[in-house]
Structure formats: C-alpha cells, structure tokens
Amino acid sequence: MRSSTVTYTSSARQPGQDPHSTWTRGAERPPGGPESSAASSAANDSNVVPITAAHTARQGAHRHADTSLPSPEESAKGKKSTPTAAKVRADALRMLGCVRIATVRQMAQVNTAEDKDGRSYVRRAMSKLAELGLAETNGKVGKHPIWNLTPAGQKALADGNELPPRPKAGTGAKAVRAGFGPHGIAVTDTILAYGSRRSLTDWQVEVNHAIKETGLSFNTDAVLAQPTATSEVRLFELDNGTMTRARLAREVWDYERYAGHRVWEGARGTIGSMFPFWQRHRYTRSERFPRLHVVLAGMEEHLLDNRRQALTADVRGIAVAVWVNTLPRLKRGEPWYEIGVDDPDRRRARYPEPASR
C-alpha cells in the first residue's frame, strides 16, 4: 500500500446539494445535467467500450429519438394509465440493454407505476419475451429469477435503434451462470438508487479501463455519462461483501494508478508535451479525473459501516476523488462520505515522467 504524509478527515456530503448556492470541492451535483459528450477511446485501451456522444440518449445518429424510460402516462382524468403489454415488453428490453441483468422487482420499479400489480405486468411481459427468444433466466437471487437479454434480444434493440450502440456489451448470461448474479443485481440496485428512470440510458456497466504499456486493466462496475462542471462521467464500484479488505483497497488504488499515468506526445518522441493518459485519450473534455463512488453492500448495515471506516483508513492519502456510501444509506438518500480528494500535483509527484521518451 502506498504511504503519504498527507492526511485528512473524511466527511459526509449530500448528493442533492444546490451547485449554484452551496457548491464546495467534492460536493455532488444533481444528476439532471446536460447530456455527456465524452471522448473516444485511445488505441492503448484494450477491450474498451468508450463513453462517447453516441452513447447518450439524445445524441448520435438518432438524436431526435428520446430513449429514456418515462413515467407511466397519465390519462385525461389525471390518473396513471395502465401500461400496454407491448410497452412493458419494450421498456423491459431497453432496461436490460442498459443494466444487463435485473429482477422483475427492479424492472417494475422502473417501467410501471404500480407495486405488486406492476410486477405481474412485468412477469407476463418477460414470459412473452422468453417465448420470443429475446430474454432468458440463467439463475436466481434468493427466490427471484435473474433476467438478461439473449443475443437475439440485443439485436432487436440494435435493429430498432432503441439504444445508443454498444457493440461490445455482453448479455450477462455467463456471469449469472458463474454465480455472480447477486453482484450484478446489487449494481442494478445502485443504479436505480442513485439515478432515475430517465437517466438509465446514460449508464454502462462493466466498462474496461486499461493501459497496455503498464499492464493495468480493470473493469468499472458502472459508469454514468452525465457531466458535472469539471468531469464528463462518474465512476461506480460496488463491493457486495465478497472481497477482502485488502483487495477492495487495491481496486480503489488502481484508479490512482490509472489517473497518474502520463504519456509523452511529440514527433518521434523528441518534442512535445507530457499529458495524463486519461485526459488525452479517454475523457478529453474533463478538467479533473472523474470521481469514484464506492458502494458497499451484501452485509448487515453495522458491518457495512465498519467496512466503510476500514476503507477510509486503507486509502488515506489517495490522490483521486473517492466517495463511499452503503447501499442501504444510498437507497434512503443519505449523504456520501468523502474519503479521497483529487490532487493532480500529488499524482505528478508520485508518478514521474518516463525516463525515456
């Protein structure tokens, strides 16, 4: 673990702060900002599905198509109308295209206004989609089947231009069959707790970040492409209580290693300037490295609080912005804890220029 003489005290931050009146460094901006226009991937990134303008809901070739998942429409009398079977099926397909795997409960939370009755609508819709070969189940979380798209379901979304193109996105079936369904469901819960039905198309899951020349490669559980004043995206890592304390800390420190890597650009390497790799090749319209949100789940709440305190100690002095919360607190809308501060100067000191250009 890296050491540093710089220490600070973690503090709780409220995600819903007004950016115009109470904005402070590290404070969260509300998730209703403009559409992202993040940069394309670098050649050095391997297996990357970049967050680009084409990945946002109202940009790209079909910029006039609103692919958000709206609330159930209201009738002329002001009451919420019953969604049609076709609409529930279409919304379920789109949601699975965004979050990859979900339960009926999660899909009903987004696609219908009802609670238990809404689940019955979704169950019928999923049975029809399974009959059509567009969706399937490959495992359960507790007693609840986990749904994912089939390759035919992904093709149906692509053919209908229902989502921005995500050519390397998997169906999630292999992960569920391998036993990682609970983790994926917790990621979906995090997305639903943090965002809303109207921001689902701005999310991607399992986004690879890699630097070939250093051998660094890791997948970010979820990335939200809604920009703040200084960054195009927000990064989310979820620990479902399955990692050791040391491994969780290493995964967080990997983000500093990624943010600290710099590249020299110039003719034959003899002239030019040194640039942060991420800013030159990944998030080119960001002024600061994106904030990392760590969400802790999979344990009793008092154990999650202990894990949060341990992580705070294990990453003390890290030079990227890190916020942490537990999934139960996030669902209740409670504040995040700031445990890492973005510090480009400290990163430059820790990761000096390459010896040869």
Side-chain angles (χ1 to χ4, degrees):
M1 190 65 62
R2 300 170 180 78
S3 61
S4 172
T5 57
V6 181
T7 61
Y8 53 89
T9 304
S10 64
S11 58
R13 300 286 190 184
Q14 178 62 44
Q17 287 178 331
D18 181 357
H20 301 293
S21 59
T22 60
W23 173 256
T24 58
R25 184 176 71 173
E28 183 70 273
R29 287 186 182 260
E35 297 292 341
S36 170
S37 57
S40 60
S41 170
N44 282 357
D45 273 1
S46 63
N47 300 320
V48 169
V49 183
I51 307 289
T52 67
H55 285 92
T56 55
R58 285 169 288 278
Q59 294 184 4
H62 306 280
R63 65 186 66 194
H64 300 296
D66 183 358
T67 59
S68 62
L69 298 178
S71 302
E73 297 178 356
E74 293 191 358
S75 65
K77 296 182 179 179
K79 296 182 180 180
K80 292 188 183 296
S81 59
T82 301
T84 64
K87 182 179 184 305
V88 176
R89 290 197 298 270
D91 285 347
L93 278 176
R94 280 192 292 172
M95 179 173 174
L96 289 175
C98 297
V99 302
R100 195 169 297 180
I101 66 174
T103 63
V104 165
R105 172 188 61 82
Q106 291 170 326
M107 288 184 278
Q109 180 180 340
V110 172
N111 299 332
T112 68
E114 296 84 1
D115 182 14
K116 292 183 179 179
D117 290 342
R119 296 183 198 184
S120 66
Y121 286 124
V122 174
R123 287 192 187 97
R124 288 196 293 271
M126 299 314 296
S127 294
K128 183 62 176 178
L129 290 174
E131 179 184 329
L132 295 172
L134 303 179
E136 63 184 2
T137 61
N138 288 281
K140 294 184 177 181
V141 55
K143 297 181 180 180
H144 305 289
I146 300 174
W147 287 91
N148 62 265
L149 296 182
T150 63
Q154 286 184 315
K155 187 175 186 301
L157 281 174
D159 290 347
N161 296 318
E162 284 298 305
L163 282 181
R166 295 171 181 179
K168 294 186 179 180
T171 64
K174 290 182 180 179
V176 176
R177 288 195 292 266
F180 300 119
H183 178 273
I185 292 300
V187 171
T188 301
D189 272 337
T190 296
I191 290 172
L192 298 182
Y194 185 86
S196 68
R197 68 179 76 224
R198 290 192 178 275
S199 67
L200 271 181
T201 53
D202 294 324
W203 290 87
Q204 284 193 59
V205 295
E206 292 298 319
V207 177
N208 183 256
H209 290 82
I211 304 173
K212 284 185 177 180
E213 63 187 69
T214 66
L216 178 64
S217 179
F218 57 89
N219 287 340
T220 302
D221 285 323
V223 175
L224 175 60
Q226 283 190 343
T228 65
T230 60
S231 183
E232 301 162 58
V233 301
R234 310 172 199 193
L235 310 175
F236 289 77
E237 279 290 339
L238 181 122
D239 168 38
N240 204 34
T242 57
M243 285 188 283
T244 64
R245 168 179 164 175
R247 181 184 169 194
L248 176 60
R250 283 197 303 270
E251 290 203 354
V252 175
W253 280 102
D254 276 346
Y255 284 89
E256 189 198 77
R257 292 173 57 201
Y258 187 88
H261 183 68
R262 289 183 289 167
V263 291
W264 181 268
E265 292 190 355
R268 296 187 303 278
T270 59
I271 60 174
S273 300
M274 185 68 64
F275 297 94
F277 173 86
W278 65 268
Q279 195 170 44
R280 196 65 172 176
H281 295 303
R282 191 63 186 263
Y283 303 118
T284 62
R285 299 187 184 183
S286 294
E287 296 178 12
R288 290 186 174 273
F289 186 73
R291 183 187 301 136
L292 173 63
H293 300 73
V294 181
V295 179
L296 307 175
M299 297 179 175
E300 295 182 10
E301 196 157 359
H302 71 282
L303 296 177
L304 294 178
D305 287 333
N306 292 341
R307 199 163 177 83
R308 172 182 58 79
Q309 294 170 12
L311 181 63
T312 300
D314 289 341
V315 303
R316 182 168 284 114
I318 197 168
V320 292
V322 183
W323 285 17
V324 64
N325 211 342
T326 68
L327 186 54
R329 286 173 54 87
L330 182 60
K331 289 181 176 181
R332 296 194 295 265
E334 296 181 21
W336 292 81
Y337 289 84
E338 184 181 48
I339 65 173
V341 177
D342 185 78
D343 193 330
D345 292 334
R346 260 196 297 156
R347 288 203 301 270
R348 280 191 291 271
R350 289 178 180 176
Y351 304 92
E353 296 182 7
S356 61
R357 296 174 180 175

